Amino acid sequence: MKLVTFLLRYARFTMLLTVVVGVIGGLCSVALVALITSALSNVASDQTISITRYVGLVVASLLTNLVSRSLLTHISQTAILEMRMTLCQRVLGAPLRQLEQIGSHRVMGTLTEDIGSITNALLDLPNFCINVTITLGCVIYLGWLSFMMLPALVVFLVLVVLSVKFLQRHATKYLKAGREDFDTLVGCFTALTDGAKELKMHRSRREAFFNEILQPAALSFREHSVAGRRLLGVTASWIQVLYFVFIGLALFLLPTLEGNQSKVLIGYTLTVLYMRAPMSILMEIIPSFVRANIAMNKVEKLGLTLANARTEDPCPGQSEPDHEWTTLELSGVTHTYRHEKEDRNFILGPMNLTLTPGELIFVAGGNGSGKTTLAKLITGLYTPESGEIRLNGVPVTDDNRDHYRQHFSVVFSVPHLFKQLLGLGDTSLDARAESYISQLQLDHKLEVKDGKLSTTDLSQGQRKRLALLTAYLEDRPIYLFDEWAADQDPIFKDIFYMNLLFELKARGKTVIVISHDDRYYHVADRLIKLENGRIELQQNPAMPAWPEPAVESDERDRSTPVPAEAVCL
């Protein structure tokens, strides 16, 4: 069983000690049955049970039970914690492209469903060990009581093991299919919540999503789960039938083989009746072990997938970015998107770019031209398939990629906001954050206390402003904004393009802006236009050769900066 192998690998000595203690506890329980049997069979001779032996066995059974449960509970929960944290570390250390290929729904399914199944099975493991020991001890005791019945016992056990494995193998097949369905279902739930607005706005799309995607996935999950659990129920019922068959053998075959020996008959009767409870517990536990075994396979598969990826853990001594950098070069950099069921791949590049401190660069292009992919390559989130990126002439590799990324503050098109200003702790953090929040006109929405934001429940435009706050607090040498102004009102667009960008440039920051707002292109030092994954144009838009942006009659001249007092970060 992979569950036991996992615990042995994690804490071999403690696990073996737990097993030994559990065996002792089981033997004590069997010894109690034997003691009671001996006392009952010798009633005629006025022999009484030794109180000392009886109390000693009861106390020993209680103590060993408590110790084994305590040890197993401790090591199992510690092992689960380590497994969960190891997976999270591997997720954090895996390349972004690798995570995108795996899919967030599979990662979430493993961290929730699979870890939960393993946790439940580990909680049942103490009961399993104790009751297996009691059952085996009872079988050994029955064999000792009647050697003539031993062959029947062996046949019974072999029949139990073979029939259980046969039924469980078929149950596991359905449960594995159900587990794969669960990943699909998690993906549907993600689409349900993330696409709620789009689904509400289009009835036909909403009905098609429910009827053609969500419901079939849920039905498939139910069918496979029901089939698997039904077979496990059949297994439990079949074992109960075998149990009663064994009782029948004991009742009708034993007197024939052993005669009317009261000690043997009483011993068999008491022991067989006593075995009913541990066997019932085992039947309840086995399904959770089957699910845990499937979960272990999923965890190992995901863990190995992440482990096989190139890790991006920070190297010792590489933590702070180099604020005195001189050049950032992309030399022959390419990246390929591989889409299933398509005849051709989308190739970005080869890209040849050089960035220098204090530049204000705009990146333009149509949808699907490769702007966001280029941003991920520049910031080190994607690894080039060919070519190389160099910072100050030093190639960026797996050994220094994490350090390289520390040079960037990025606000993505759909930013994720943490409720804490993580990794920015200093004594003046709250004051600095409150100052920026006021200047970004968010002071009526939230406040900061001990580095914690009072809320992140904001409109999309306000969320991007809050993400901008985090970027400013990071104070990195290079800033990248992916369609930051797309959700801002006209006033804040002016503030962003005509004040915030110039303020960053004045501080010596290199700023890369992905934008469709062509009316502001003239403020850039350089504009890079992409088309079908290649640089179509790279030029200073302020030069005469560049067409002037059209200005509508009812709008003021956007070449005039917004007054400095409007906002100054």
Side-chain angles (χ1 to χ4, degrees):
M1 185 186 296
K2 287 193 174 183
L3 204 62
V4 177
T5 304
F6 165 65
L7 289 177
L8 284 173
R9 187 171 63 245
Y10 174 75
R12 183 181 300 274
F13 175 77
T14 307
M15 185 64 183
L16 291 176
L17 177 62
T18 303
V19 171
V20 170
V21 174
V23 169
I24 293 173
L27 293 177
C28 288
S29 298
V30 176
L32 278 171
V33 175
L35 187 61
I36 295 171
T37 300
S38 177
L40 290 175
S41 61
N42 292 309
V43 170
S45 58
D46 295 327
Q47 292 183 354
T48 58
I49 300 174
S50 171
I51 296 178
T52 304
R53 289 174 58 197
Y54 186 82
V55 171
L57 287 172
V58 170
V59 171
S61 179
L62 174 64
L63 291 178
T64 52
N65 192 314
L66 291 175
V67 170
S68 62
R69 287 177 186 274
S70 177
L71 288 172
L72 266 176
T73 300
H74 174 73
I75 64 172
S76 62
Q77 292 306 301
T78 305
I80 281 292
L81 173 64
E82 183 172 302
M83 178 188 290
R84 184 177 278 121
M85 292 301 99
T86 298
L87 281 175
C88 289
Q89 286 177 334
R90 287 182 177 176
V91 169
L92 291 173
L96 177 64
R97 190 63 181 151
Q98 178 83 7
L99 294 176
E100 290 174 345
Q101 290 171 344
I102 292 172
S104 60
H105 60 290
R106 288 189 174 88
V107 176
M108 287 302 298
T110 296
L111 290 176
T112 54
E113 175 71 10
D114 294 329
I115 297 295
S117 296
I118 296 169
T119 300
N120 292 335
L122 287 175
L123 290 174
D124 288 333
L125 195 55
N127 262 342
F128 180 80
C129 292
I130 291 168
N131 286 285
V132 162
T133 303
I134 291 173
T135 302
L136 291 177
C138 287
V139 170
I140 294 170
Y141 177 61
L142 290 176
W144 178 79
L145 279 175
S146 173
F147 188 77
M148 300 292 292
M149 279 289 292
L150 190 58
L153 282 172
V154 172
V155 171
F156 171 76
L157 290 175
V158 170
L159 184 60
V160 168
V161 171
L162 292 179
S163 59
V164 166
K165 288 194 68 74
F166 174 79
L167 292 170
Q168 281 189 357
R169 184 167 63 249
H170 287 77
T172 300
K173 180 180 67 175
Y174 288 109
L175 292 174
K176 279 183 178 179
R179 179 58 189 85
E180 296 299 328
D181 291 336
F182 182 79
D183 282 342
T184 304
L185 202 54
V186 172
C188 292
F189 292 155
T190 302
L192 178 68
T193 54
D194 292 349
K197 296 186 294 294
E198 290 78 4
L199 293 172
K200 286 181 179 297
M201 293 301 297
H202 198 291
R203 183 186 300 113
S204 297
R205 180 184 296 120
R206 182 171 66 246
E207 292 174 353
F209 172 78
F210 182 85
N211 294 324
E212 299 174 18
I213 297 177
L214 179 58
Q215 191 174 54
L219 288 173
S220 180
F221 174 69
R222 185 199 66 178
E223 289 171 4
H224 287 131
S225 297
V226 167
R229 291 171 186 267
R230 183 180 290 131
L231 279 173
L232 290 177
V234 169
T235 304
S237 300
W238 172 243
I239 291 177
Q240 284 203 351
V241 169
L242 292 178
Y243 172 77
F244 286 113
V245 169
F246 177 71
I247 291 178
L249 289 173
L251 288 174
F252 300 111
L253 186 59
L254 188 62
T256 304
L257 297 175
E258 296 288 345
N260 293 322
Q261 297 184 40
S262 59
K263 182 178 180 179
V264 175
L265 292 176
I266 293 173
Y268 253 82
T269 303
L270 286 176
T271 306
V272 169
L273 291 175
Y274 181 71
M275 287 174 62
R276 177 70 186 273
M279 287 186 67
S280 297
I281 293 172
L282 290 176
M283 292 308 98
E284 294 174 0
I285 292 175
I286 285 175
S288 71
F289 282 2
V290 173
R291 292 191 292 271
N293 198 54
I294 295 170
M296 286 293 297
N297 287 328
K298 292 288 290 185
V299 169
E300 286 182 1
K301 183 178 179 181
L302 179 64
L304 289 173
T305 302
L306 296 175
N308 290 337
R310 290 169 293 186
T311 58
E312 301 175 335
D313 297 326
C315 297
Q318 293 185 336
S319 56
E320 295 300 320
D322 180 9
H323 288 270
E324 304 301 324
W325 69 283
T326 55
T327 58
L328 193 163
E329 303 168 89
L330 276 69
S331 177
V333 168
T334 65
H335 183 82
T336 303
Y337 278 107
R338 296 181 176 86
H339 295 294
E340 295 182 2
K341 300 181 180 179
E342 290 190 8
D343 295 333
R344 64 185 184 89
N345 295 326
F346 176 82
I347 301 176
L348 178 75
M351 289 287 170
N352 295 287
L353 284 175
T354 300
L355 309 181
T356 56
E359 273 194 294
L360 176 55
I361 301 168
F362 278 41
V363 179
N367 293 331
S369 59
K371 302 187 299 297
T372 299
T373 302
L374 176 61
K376 291 177 179 178
L377 284 166
I378 291 175
T379 56
L381 289 174
Y382 280 0
T383 303
E385 294 179 357
S386 63
E388 66 178 11
I389 300 174
R390 296 186 292 268
L391 181 65
N392 296 336
V394 179
V396 177
T397 66
D398 290 339
D399 294 331
N400 61 5
R401 197 177 313 281
D402 183 77
H403 172 64
Y404 168 77
R405 281 200 293 258
Q406 308 314 302
H407 292 75
F408 295 87
S409 286
V410 184
V411 179
F412 298 100
S413 57
V414 184
H416 177 83
L417 299 177
F418 296 94
K419 292 204 71 172
Q420 291 179 265
L421 299 173
L422 301 169
L424 303 170
D426 59 53
T427 54
S428 61
L429 179 63
D430 285 4
R432 290 167 54 210
E434 289 286 0
S435 174
Y436 289 147
I437 286 173
S438 176
Q439 294 174 47
L440 290 169
Q441 300 179 17
L442 293 173
D443 50 324
H444 64 293
K445 287 285 187 178
L446 70 141
E447 59 183 16
V448 179
K449 185 176 182 180
D450 298 327
K452 297 180 180 179
L453 302 171
S454 59
T455 184
T456 57
D457 186 16
L458 305 169
S459 68
Q460 187 63 22
Q462 291 168 338
R463 288 173 65 83
K464 285 190 173 181
R465 287 190 230 166
L466 190 55
L468 184 64
L469 157 72
T470 305
Y472 266 84
L473 291 172
E474 289 174 353
D475 193 27
R476 300 275 177 85
I478 307 173
Y479 282 75
L480 190 147
F481 302 102
D482 188 355
E483 298 287 358
W484 186 89
D487 301 290
Q488 305 300 325
D489 58 42
I491 293 177
F492 238 95
K493 280 191 177 184
D494 277 353
I495 292 174
F496 175 70
Y497 285 111
M498 309 306 298
N499 285 81
L500 300 184
L501 297 183
F502 281 107
E503 193 271 338
L504 286 171
K505 178 179 169 64
R507 287 164 53 189
K509 310 294 185 182
T510 296
V511 185
I512 304 168
V513 182
I514 298 175
S515 174
H516 286 102
D517 293 326
D518 55 358
R519 68 186 61 181
Y520 295 100
Y521 286 170
H522 63 285
V523 307
D525 297 322
R526 188 175 9 152
L527 185 138
I528 299 170
K529 187 174 181 181
L530 299 183
E531 186 68 33
N532 293 325
R534 294 178 180 270
I535 296 178
E536 183 184 67
L537 185 67
Q538 185 174 183
Q539 186 176 344
N540 185 340
M543 294 177 63
W546 190 268
E548 289 293 328
V551 180
E552 299 178 8
S553 59
D554 61 340
E555 293 181 338
R556 60 183 173 79
D557 183 4
R558 280 179 167 74
S559 63
T560 304
V562 177
E565 60 269 17
V567 61
C568 183
L569 298 182

